[in-house]
Amino acid sequence: MEQNIKKRAGELLIFVLMSVLAGFMIGLGGTSSLLAANLLGAWGKLVGATLFSLGIFVIISFEMKLFTGMVAEIPTMGVKNLWRLPVVFLGNAAGVAITALLVKFSFLADTVIPQGAAVIAPKLAADAWALSAFSSAVLCGFLITLSVWGPRYAPKKGLSASVAVMLPIIVFAFCGFDHSVANMLYFYFLGECSGKILLYILCSVLGNMVGGILLPLAALLKKKCEP
């Protein structure tokens, strides 16, 4: 019994650690994307989106735990495992916070922090911001699932697994769709905390979840309809 408890405690510790590392990578990807947007003008958005996709590539390659990637498991996760979702989100948020803190005390602070605040401030000030955040996050969630599932199907079609992972991420980052974890970096750089910001985070979380389960639900339905 004691050995089982230690094993479960160790597994939980690794789970939390991999969640924090995934958030750290999202923070690094977001930082590089913001730097590119600041330095490269019109081409900065495309370069930044490509750099951001490398963060997701590392997360998937090293099997880190990312909230928006785990969402795809909801239809098959089972009720007893749903606790993993809030835990992984909090771990991701902590990892992003670590990146934001390190950036704050680095030579990039004067360039990256204002750029990050400039990304999220107009979204918060927009009309119908809640609906906009939710809708944008649905699109992001769908693309994240495409990225996470890419390595499963790309080799069967003779495609590169790396391209299958990175291309959907480049699309969502280029379009500026709301990724609930990546948004945390911008909120940290904004330096504010309010009820509106918390509701924005909630809208993006719900949107990511809705968009993220669309493909898995379709796959389950297809499987049930097959003879």
Side-chain angles (χ1 to χ4, degrees):
M1 177 66 71
E2 183 178 352
Q3 186 176 3
N4 288 336
I5 293 175
K6 288 182 178 179
K7 181 179 179 182
R8 291 177 182 177
E11 290 173 349
L12 178 60
L13 180 61
I14 294 299
F15 180 81
V16 172
L17 176 60
M18 297 306 278
S19 299
V20 173
L21 287 175
F24 187 75
M25 283 307 307
I26 290 294
L28 286 176
T31 297
S32 63
S33 179
L34 291 171
L35 184 62
N38 183 276
L39 297 179
L40 301 178
W43 284 100
K45 195 170 185 180
L46 179 58
V47 174
T50 304
L51 292 173
F52 185 87
S53 72
L54 292 174
I56 303 294
F57 178 79
V58 170
I59 289 171
I60 293 176
S61 297
F62 288 89
E63 299 181 349
M64 297 175 186
K65 304 299 181 182
L66 181 64
F67 172 76
T68 48
M70 188 170 290
V71 162
E73 302 174 16
I74 290 178
T76 57
M77 184 179 290
V79 175
K80 66 178 182 179
N81 290 317
L82 288 177
W83 63 268
R84 293 160 63 90
L85 292 171
V87 170
V88 77
F89 183 81
L90 292 175
N92 291 165
V96 175
I98 292 170
T99 306
L101 185 63
L102 292 173
V103 170
K104 181 179 179 180
F105 292 105
S106 77
F107 63 91
L108 294 175
D110 292 340
T111 302
V112 171
I113 291 179
Q115 187 73 30
V119 168
I120 201 65
K123 292 186 176 184
L124 286 168
D127 295 332
W129 56 269
L131 179 60
S132 176
F134 176 80
S135 302
S136 174
V138 170
L139 297 171
C140 175
F142 184 79
L143 288 166
I144 290 290
T145 297
L146 288 181
S147 176
V148 172
W149 281 23
R152 300 184 188 182
Y153 299 101
K156 299 177 183 179
K157 305 296 183 180
L159 301 174
S160 167
S162 299
V163 172
V165 168
M166 295 173 64
L167 189 57
I169 305 304
I170 293 173
V171 172
F172 111 68
F174 181 77
C175 292
F177 295 146
D178 283 275
H179 186 282
S180 54
V181 178
N183 277 354
M184 298 301 295
L185 181 70
Y186 309 139
F187 288 126
Y188 291 142
F189 286 161
L190 188 63
E192 298 178 9
C193 184
S194 65
K196 188 175 184 179
I197 287 175
L198 294 177
L199 285 174
Y200 195 102
I201 293 171
L202 179 61
C203 289
S204 61
V205 166
L206 293 176
N208 286 164
M209 292 177 70
V210 171
I213 64 173
L214 291 177
L215 186 58
L217 287 177
L220 282 177
L221 181 61
K222 178 182 177 182
K223 186 176 180 180
K224 288 184 178 181
C225 292
E226 289 177 348

